[in-house]
Amino acid sequence: MDGKHGAASKLAARSVGSGRVPALGGSGGKTAAVLGGGLSGLSAARSLLERGFDVSLVEKRPFLGGRAYSFYSREADTDVDNGQHVFMGCCTYYVDFIEALGAYGDAALQDSLRAEVVRDGKRGVLMSAPALGPLHLMPSFVRYPHLGVVDKIRAAYGLLRAALTDRRRHAGALDGESFYSWLKRHHQSDGAIEGLWNLIILPTLNDTVHSVNADMALMVIQEGFLKQPRAAAIGYARVGLSSLAGIPGQRFIKDRGGAVILGRAVRAILVGDGGVSAVRLSDGSTLEADAYVSALPFGALLDCLPPERAREPFFAAAAGLTSAPIVGIHLWYDRQIMEESFAAFLGSPVQWVFNRSRIQGEAGASGQYVCISLSGAWEFIDRPKDELRKLFTEEMRRLFPLARRAEVRKCLVIKQPDATFRCVPGVASHRLSQATPIPNLFLAGEWTDTGWPSTMEGAVRSGVYAAEALAASF
Ligand SMILES: Cc1cc2nc3c(=O)[nH]c(=O)nc-3n(C[C@H](O)[C@H](O)[C@H](O)COP(=O)(O)OP(=O)(O)OC[C@H]3O[C@@H](n4cnc5c(N)ncnc54)[C@H](O)[C@@H]3O)c2cc1C
């Protein structure tokens, strides 16, 4: 429970003794309860507050932000993010969301894409030339050293086919096909797949080209790289992730008279003839509202629904979703080992390295803090942390000459086994719509049907879509 929060404190007071917690009502507005305080729940709460609803948000953990948060690590004796998060210029709902929370100033977004890609010490740069419009990547692509001439011609053909593919028209077929199969059908060599396509797909879809479906992969390529130059720009938080959404999100709700209930889990969504009548919380109290947005992960939603409702085909479809891991290796060196803000690596288990010191505006410091982000990290998720520390500090010495003489002062390994849902072939039929067969229950969560992969943008969109569907139902 947020002790500083007047409205939330009132809820706690009412729950004592009565065991029943009415959602805050006020100014004759309709009440809405949001279940789950990740980005999707925060986004739903924001949209509902802006539509005049009285909103109560329940989150089981003592803080908001869901899978995008920062925390104090006793091991490293400093604040760290649970994982490096990146957004792109095409993430317009996410940018609008952090702007509304007053946190956009704490994020950085490139004017246009510039990313170094290194293989065996050879540096290439993928960058936009915005003046060239849809051909903005062409000059850097021509100079890109990690593809031979033939592979470049093939890759250019593949990009053209990607740009011309009508995803709406072929949605079913593309959802059912792996992107690898699509690439092979379009004459892509293994060299082009490794040196270009997987470089884009692995960090954006948290899975390899072999496993993702062609629809989501083409969505990333079209929205992120082919529609307009600014869309490809890379952005990130310059502060801890909680300061970008969780903390300002809580303040946003509070300032608009909403309630935030922290540290209490939703145990059951109680459904009667007319729809959801209340939700039961972990302390035995119940929370009532006119309408509900579940912004819970898919597994938690199914656990909280009455079993007979969870077995209905509409909801049961979500049981087919699966998740993918991310592992972060955080290293504190006694000196500077890299200059750029981030770089990608080919031919190495290191995929992307982020220069956290520079990103956080501490570039002048004597040492340097960097984070290796490993997407689709099945190979590493079950390996002992000491083994990962050894493997990656040695690999960093191979990749960064300046790391060879540097001392690693601290190393922290953060494993997130269920970082994202997997965009495997057939996933579309498992993503539920925001409106449900239960009239006053709406769904948010990046795993719902947003048309986006498992991203902060998808989470924020899902919250907006759920709020729109809820508002339209009155
Ligand atoms: C390491 C890592 C790196 C990532 N990198 C990126 C990136 O670079 N770019 C990007 O766009 N995305 C990235 N993502 C994905 C992104 O973080 C998620 O897509 C997004 O945060 C999901 O938000 P959500 O609100 O849909 O779900 P969640 O964040 O999972 O929110 C669900 C909330 O519900 C709460 N909850 C669960 N059960 C209950 C219950 N019974 N009662 C009450 N509350 C409950 C949870 O505690 C949580 O707060 C990354 C994720 C991870 C883990």
Side-chain angles (χ1 to χ4, degrees):
M1 190 78 178
D2 170 17
K4 290 171 283 177
H5 193 294
S9 303
K10 236 187 285 171
L11 282 169
R14 283 194 220 163
S15 71
V16 176
S18 71
R20 201 166 179 78
V21 188
L24 278 188
S27 64
K30 297 277 185 196
T31 56
V34 177
L35 320 179
L39 297 186
S40 62
L42 286 168
S43 163
R46 173 217 166 183
S47 295
L48 289 165
L49 285 163
E50 288 179 346
R51 288 177 163 77
F53 284 85
D54 286 328
V55 174
S56 299
L57 181 149
V58 194
E59 163 58 45
K60 75 171 180 183
R61 297 198 288 187
F63 57 88
L64 300 177
R67 269 170 278 161
Y69 69 101
S70 36
F71 64 100
Y72 173 74
S73 158
R74 219 175 308 160
E75 195 183 338
D77 190 24
T78 187
D79 285 346
V80 288
D81 289 346
N82 67 318
Q84 177 65 49
H85 278 63
V86 160
F87 63 97
M88 292 173 68
C90 58
C91 297
T92 51
Y93 279 60
Y94 175 72
V95 167
D96 172 67
F97 171 67
I98 57 173
E99 260 176 355
L101 302 188
Y104 186 65
D106 286 329
L109 177 63
Q110 296 176 325
D111 290 333
S112 57
L113 172 71
R114 188 178 196 287
E116 283 206 10
V117 184
V118 185
R119 185 205 287 274
D120 299 330
K122 190 185 266 188
R123 289 178 180 264
V125 180
L126 284 175
M127 62 188 286
S128 287
L132 297 182
L135 297 177
H136 64 110
L137 288 174
M138 208 40 99
S140 77
F141 183 66
V142 169
R143 288 194 297 270
Y144 188 59
H146 306 311
L147 293 182
V149 177
V150 176
D151 283 346
K152 274 187 191 165
I153 293 167
R154 286 173 189 264
Y157 171 73
L159 285 167
L160 182 67
R161 291 303 301 257
L164 295 177
T165 299
D166 183 344
R167 283 181 47 240
R168 253 187 226 177
R169 192 154 152 233
H170 303 291
L174 292 171
D175 175 60
E177 181 180 15
S178 81
F179 190 43
Y180 184 76
S181 147
W182 186 95
L183 289 168
K184 282 293 174 190
R185 275 202 299 116
H186 294 88
H187 313 294
Q188 299 303 297
S189 65
D190 288 338
I193 289 174
E194 198 241 333
L196 183 72
W197 298 102
N198 207 46
L199 181 73
I200 295 172
I201 294 306
L202 184 58
T204 49
L205 292 185
N206 196 24
D207 223 326
T208 66
V209 290
H210 296 271
S211 304
V212 300
N213 71 57
D215 185 50
M216 277 293 102
L218 290 172
M219 184 269 172
V220 167
I221 307 279
Q222 289 182 353
E223 294 296 322
F225 297 92
L226 299 177
K227 276 205 173 148
Q228 50 122 338
R230 176 90 175 142
I234 291 177
Y236 40 75
R238 293 191 296 113
V239 293
L241 280 175
S242 291
S243 300
L244 209 62
I247 294 168
Q250 186 166 346
R251 199 183 311 126
F252 183 96
I253 296 171
K254 175 182 152 187
D255 289 350
R256 283 152 188 82
V260 177
I261 305 168
L262 295 177
R264 284 199 257 170
V266 175
R267 285 278 184 259
I269 298 172
L270 308 174
V271 184
D273 289 343
V276 177
S277 55
V279 293
R280 195 170 58 246
L281 306 184
S282 49
D283 62 353
S285 63
T286 52
L287 174 67
E288 289 174 4
D290 295 316
Y292 300 78
V293 174
S294 163
L296 302 172
F298 50 87
L301 169 69
L302 295 177
D303 287 346
C304 290
L305 282 170
E308 68 281 8
R309 300 306 302 245
R311 281 195 295 271
E312 285 175 12
F314 175 84
F315 291 108
L321 291 167
T322 52
S323 52
I326 293 179
V327 172
I329 320 273
H330 300 245
L331 295 160
W332 286 264
Y333 287 97
D334 66 347
R335 65 196 74 185
Q336 312 277 322
I337 63 145
M338 71 187 287
E339 262 184 40
E340 54 280 23
S341 296
F342 53 84
F345 293 86
L346 296 171
S348 164
V350 168
Q351 297 168 10
W352 288 77
V353 180
F354 291 84
N355 180 346
R356 298 287 313 172
S357 294
R358 181 164 173 172
I359 284 171
Q360 293 171 183
E362 297 155 8
S366 60
Q368 194 170 50
Y369 166 31
V370 304
C371 173
I372 304 169
S373 184
L374 305 172
S375 299
W378 285 277
E379 194 189 334
F380 304 111
I381 194 79
D382 294 325
R383 282 165 75 171
K385 289 187 175 179
D386 276 344
E387 195 181 313
L388 296 178
R389 282 191 191 103
K390 190 166 177 300
L391 174 71
F392 283 97
T393 47
E394 276 173 15
E395 184 62 9
M396 288 292 281
R397 276 196 278 272
R398 191 177 77 79
L399 299 176
F400 292 91
L402 292 174
R404 288 172 203 156
R405 274 175 290 139
E407 186 194 325
V408 177
R409 286 178 177 155
K410 292 185 282 189
C411 175
L412 184 69
V413 177
I414 302 180
K415 298 178 175 181
Q416 300 278 275
D418 300 311
T420 61
F421 74 85
R422 296 188 76 184
C423 288
V424 291
V427 74
S429 61
H430 301 294
R431 301 183 72 178
L432 310 189
S433 59
Q434 282 74 37
T436 76
I438 301 174
N440 63 345
L441 177 64
F442 300 85
L443 303 181
E446 104 291 8
W447 58 272
T448 60
D449 184 9
T450 64
W452 276 70
S454 184
T455 52
M456 300 187 287
E457 172 75 4
V460 171
R461 279 179 183 254
S462 75
V464 173
Y465 298 164
E468 282 170 359
L470 186 154
S473 74
F474 283 103

